[in-house]
Each structure stands twice: as C-alpha cells, then as structure tokens.
C-alpha cells in the first residue's frame, strides 16, 4: 500500500464528511478516522516486513520541489499517534450538540491530513506547506466553536495565528537559503550540505523560532493557556495531543541534523530553556482555578521536559522524547476529555464549584484517577517510561539538569493530586452527575488501555523508533 493513501483517505474523508450533512457528519468522520488508522496499521506491517513504503514524485520543476513522503520508524510512530487519536477525539465529541457539524468534522479531518503530511514530508517546501495548512482548521475550530466571550476568544485565536505564522516565516527563510546552497529541498540533499558554523547558527535559530512557538517553550508560550481554554475541547485535544508534537518531532527531524554544529554548541542553553518550562509550567499550574487552564500549564511543563530530552543529542534523550510525546498525547487528551465530561454535567470549569463526584460516579472517578497518576508518571504507566528515559539522558549531560527536570514529577504529583481532591472528593455534590454514556466510557477506556499496555510493554515502540533515531544521531555526529 502506498503511503500517500493515508493522506488521500483523510482528504476525501473531509470532503465526504462535509457533503454528508450535519446529521451524518460525525459518523462519517469517525468511519474515515478508523479507516485511516487501519491503513496506518497496514503500513506499519509492511514497514516491519522490510517493504519500501516511501514515495518520491516530481511535483514542481522551478523551484525544484518533490512530492516526497518518508515513512521510517519515527514518522510512522507519529503517524500512528495521529491516526489513533483522531478517531478517539472525534468519538469523544458525540456527546456535544454542535452547530454546523459538517464543517466542524470536515475541519478535524483536514487538520489530521495536514498534520500527517507534516510528519511524513521529506521535502522542505512540501513540509512547510503541510505545516502551515495545519494552522487553518484549528483557527476556525477555535474561533467558531470556542468557549466564552466572542471578543476575548477572537483575540486569543488571532494572537495564536499571528505568533505561529510569524515564527514559520523564519523557518521558510532558512529553507530558501539552504535551497540556494543545495539546489533542492529534499531532506537527504539538505543533510549533505557542509554549512559554516555561522550559517548553521542562523538556521538553528530560524527553526527554533518556529518550533518554540508551536511546542510551546517559554518565553514563546503566552498564546497557549488562553487558546486551550477558549477552544472547544476537541480543538484543545487536537492542539495538545497532536499539533504541538509537530514542533517536537521537527526538532529531531529537521533542526538538529541540519544545524549540528550549532546544536552541539548551544545544547546546554536549550536544555535549560526546556527545564525552565518544566519549573514555570508547574508553578503556574499550582495557582490555577480553572480546570482547563491547570491542564494547559501542566502540558507546558511536560513538553518542556520532552524538549530538554531532545536537545541532549543522545540516543536515550531522543528515544525518551519520542516515547513521552506519544504518552503525553494520550494522557493529555484523556485529561481534557475528563474535564469536558464534568463540564457537560456541571456547566463549569471552576474547580471550586466541583467536588463530591466520587460518590456519584465511582467508575468515572477510577478512570480519572488513572489518568492523573499517568500524568505524574507513576510506574507501570506509559508516561513513566518516557520521563524516566529523558531524565536518565539529562543525568548523562549534567546531574543538575536531571534534578531540576525531575521537579515535573514532584510538582505534578502535588498539583494534580490536589486538583483531584478538590474535583472528585469531599462531600457529595448537590448537582446531578449522570452516569457515563457509552461513547464516554469507550473513549476513556481506550486511552487508559493504551497508557497501561505500553507502560508495561513499550518494546514495540522502542524497536520501531530506535533505528531512525540512530540515523539522525549519526547525521548530527558525522565528521564532514
């Protein structure tokens, strides 16, 4: 099966979903989402069997742009994350009454199409096109179907759009410069460039401008909490569960191999920036009274640690970062969905107005507790595997990096368990908390199953990603 079929399925799915009308849109979108995930599994099996599933085809002659999709272990891992979470996110929205549902679900599939393209593209300009395309659907999803005051929502979404677009322009300039040197946008041709230390420094910083905003890393994070809060929960899940991984993945695939001299020179600085995000996000999360904002800052802390692991330039750092990307994707989607379940019943996100849910919904409480414990990296959960590996890689660079990075576990345990106490425990709430629906139960159980399974047995993922990460590390460490 050709790897481009994944993109084609999502693009056709977006179109068919829109044409299906409001009543059938959610079911059609879910069908295409599941179909794409099934196709991804087929591609994985072909890859494991040694088949070449990459694609290279001429597209534009001048400038020379190739429609090139690279399906190695790293990109397949991100493809599987995207195509697994997309139907889960779609299914999670079945309890919502959406206006103009056909447009909403079509935008979700189109966004998945753009994100998959970003993970698979191995031509710089094609990659940039997919990168920018992913911004358009989330802009409209957050703007049209978001929460709260319309003017405040508009300001938050426009700020996000301008920030992200401006950062991406620096990356485009870097690609144009490298094209002038190599005569090609192909990743393998760009890898062969022998740029000076000065050239690599500016390319490194240009890519960092785009990725630091998307991830986000401090001090480029100011858009994040407001957009996560104002966006509908589906939009927040797409942003936190998948879209921010575009930046983290791109650090490994593009930034570090293309500017290896600068990466080695500035390694301690950018590890420190990642760890600063861990400490800052954790401290700010402690002060939050809105459940979605607390989860947003918790996410900021976790992605700071992932970025720190990526910038260690070690195989353990790379492997831990990718494992944590995938684990974070599932746990953050689960946590935001749990917050949405509470909002459907209580119509509030204020933590002070919750409490006493355990007595009313013990099944939901148990599932929510597993998600909380996974978030704080309890052993046997998927997050523990990734965080432990990242912290180990940081200790190889400097023990203080590992100690400071480990504060995400300490702070996280404090504010997440404190949040759980206020939200779920205490006296029985006078408000009605009706039982979980079938779609809510299946969604939560699916996420919990992934977190526990790969927490106990991460070998399939580590075996998949390690060869690709070793190739990237060899490119960074090459002599010429």
């Amino acid at each position: 099966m050709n790897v481009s079929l994944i993109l084609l399925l999502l693009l056709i799915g977006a179109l068919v979903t829109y044409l299906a009308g409001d009543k059938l849109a959610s079911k059609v979108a879910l069908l295409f989402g599941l179909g794409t995930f099934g196709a991804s599994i087929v591609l994985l099996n072909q890859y494991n069997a040694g088949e070449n599933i990459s694609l290279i085809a001429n597209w534009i002659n001048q400038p020379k742009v190739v429609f090139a999709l690279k399906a190695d272990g790293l990109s397949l891992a991100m493809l599987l994350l995207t195509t697994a979470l997309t139907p889960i996110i779609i299914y999670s929205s079945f309890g919502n009454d959406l206006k103009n549902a056909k447009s909403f679900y079509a935008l979700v599939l189109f966004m998945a199409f753009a994100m998959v393209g970003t993970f698979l593209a191995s031509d710089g300009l094609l990659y940039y096109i997919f990168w920018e395309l992913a911004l358009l659907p989330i802009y409209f999803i957050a703007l049209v179907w978001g929460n709260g005051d319309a003017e405040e929502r508009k300001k938050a979404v426009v700020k996000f759009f301008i920030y992200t677009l401006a950062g991406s322009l620096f990356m485009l300039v870097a690609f144009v410069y490298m094209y002038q040197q190599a005569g090609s946008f192909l990743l393998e041709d760009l890898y062969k460039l022998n740029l000076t230390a000065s050239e690599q420094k500016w390319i490194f910083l240009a890519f960092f401008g785009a990725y630091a905003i998307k991830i986000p890393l401090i001090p480029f994070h100011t858009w994040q909490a407001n957009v996560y809060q104002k966006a509908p929960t589906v939009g927040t899940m797409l942003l936190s569960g998948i879209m921010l991984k575009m930046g983290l993945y791109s650090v490994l695939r593009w930034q570090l191999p293309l500017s290896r001299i600068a990466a080695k020179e500035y390694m301690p600085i950018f590890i420190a920036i990642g760890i600063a995000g861990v400490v800052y996000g954790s401290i700010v999360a402690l002060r939050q009274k809105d459940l979605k904002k607390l989860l947003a800052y918790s996410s900021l802390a976790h992605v700071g640690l992932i970025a720190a692991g990526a910038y260690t330039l070690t195989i353990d750092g790379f492997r831990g970062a990718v494992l944590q990307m995938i684990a974070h994707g599932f746990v953050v989607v689960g946590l935001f969905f749990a917050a949405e379940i509470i909002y459907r019943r209580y119509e509030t996100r204020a933590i002070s107005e919750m409490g006493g849910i355990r007595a009313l919904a013990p099944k939901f409480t148990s599932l929510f507790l597993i998600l909380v414990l996974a978030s704080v990296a309890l052993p046997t959960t998927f997050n523990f595997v990734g965080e432990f590996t990242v912290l180990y890689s940081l200790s190889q660079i400097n023990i203080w990096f590992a100690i400071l990075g480990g504060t995400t576990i300490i702070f996280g345990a404090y504010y997440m368990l404190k949040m759980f106490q206020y939200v779920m425990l205490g006296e029985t709430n006078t408000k009605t908390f009706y039982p979980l629906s079938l779609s809510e139960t299946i969604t939560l159980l699916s996420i919990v199953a992934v977190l526990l399974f790969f927490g106990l047995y991460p070998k399939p993922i580590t075996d998949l990603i390690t060869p690709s990460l070793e190739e990237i590390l060899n490119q960074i460490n090459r002599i010429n």
Side-chain angles (χ1 to χ4, degrees), residues 21-161:
D22 291 337
K23 289 185 178 180
L24 294 175
S26 59
K27 297 177 179 62
V28 172
L30 178 61
L31 181 63
F32 273 95
L34 291 171
T36 307
F37 178 60
S40 301
I41 297 295
V42 173
L43 280 177
L44 175 65
N45 290 333
Q46 290 179 333
Y47 176 79
N48 288 334
E51 296 182 30
N52 180 20
I53 54 176
S54 299
L55 172 69
I56 297 180
N58 291 329
W59 187 27
I60 302 172
N61 291 328
Q62 192 61 36
K64 184 182 177 182
V65 182
V66 179
F67 193 87
L69 304 176
K70 181 177 182 178
D72 64 0
L74 176 58
S75 56
L76 278 174
M78 304 315 295
L79 169 66
L80 288 165
L81 172 68
T82 306
T83 57
L85 283 180
T86 298
I88 289 175
I89 291 171
I90 291 171
Y91 192 51
S92 74
S93 69
F94 276 27
N96 297 335
D97 183 19
L98 296 167
K99 295 180 180 179
N100 197 8
K102 62 180 184 180
S103 297
F104 179 84
Y105 289 107
L107 286 170
V108 170
L109 287 179
F110 185 78
M111 186 173 175
F113 159 80
M115 291 187 295
V116 165
T118 303
F119 292 131
L120 292 175
S122 62
D123 178 277
L125 192 60
L126 180 66
Y127 160 80
Y128 177 79
I129 291 170
F130 281 123
W131 175 276
E132 292 293 76
L133 282 178
L135 184 59
L136 296 176
I138 193 60
Y139 172 81
F140 289 107
I141 288 172
L143 186 66
V144 177
W145 290 276
N147 312 301
D149 180 73
E151 284 301 315
E152 290 184 8
R153 184 169 72 243
K154 181 179 178 181
K155 289 179 182 177
V157 174
V158 169
K159 180 180 180 180
F160 162 65
F161 188 89

Side-chain angles (χ1 to χ4, degrees), residues 273-294:
I273 289 174
I275 292 174
V278 172
V279 177
Y280 173 83
S282 299
I283 291 173
V284 177
L286 288 169
R287 301 173 57 86
Q288 297 308 307
K289 299 178 181 179
D290 180 285
L291 184 53
K292 280 189 81 174
K293 270 200 167 183
L294 184 148

Side-chain angles (χ1 to χ4, degrees), residues 185-250:
F185 285 108
L186 272 175
L187 182 64
E188 60 185 40
D189 293 333
L190 299 181
Y191 274 7
K192 295 174 184 176
L193 286 173
N194 287 311
L195 301 173
T196 66
S198 177
E199 288 172 320
Q200 290 192 33
K201 178 186 74 173
W202 291 111
I203 289 168
F204 182 91
L205 294 175
F207 278 111
F208 181 76
Y211 302 154
I213 293 170
K214 186 79 78 177
I215 291 173
L217 297 174
I218 62 168
F220 305 96
H221 68 284
T222 54
W223 63 267
Q224 185 222 26
N226 284 336
V227 174
Y228 278 25
Q229 183 186 34
K230 301 297 182 185
T233 299
V234 166
T236 308
M237 290 176 176
L238 288 167
L239 278 168
S240 60
I242 310 173
M243 193 174 186
L244 69 81
K245 310 304 186 299
M246 288 166 51
L248 293 164
Y249 162 85
S250 299

Side-chain angles (χ1 to χ4, degrees), residues 278-323:
V278 172
V279 177
Y280 173 83
S282 299
I283 291 173
V284 177
L286 288 169
R287 301 173 57 86
Q288 297 308 307
K289 299 178 181 179
D290 180 285
L291 184 53
K292 280 189 81 174
K293 270 200 167 183
L294 184 148
L295 296 176
Y297 283 109
S298 171
S299 176
L300 180 67
H302 286 290
V303 298
L305 185 64
I306 297 171
Y311 283 116
T312 61
L313 306 183
T314 65
I315 189 62
D316 290 315
F318 285 2
R319 187 161 43 221
V322 176
L323 288 169

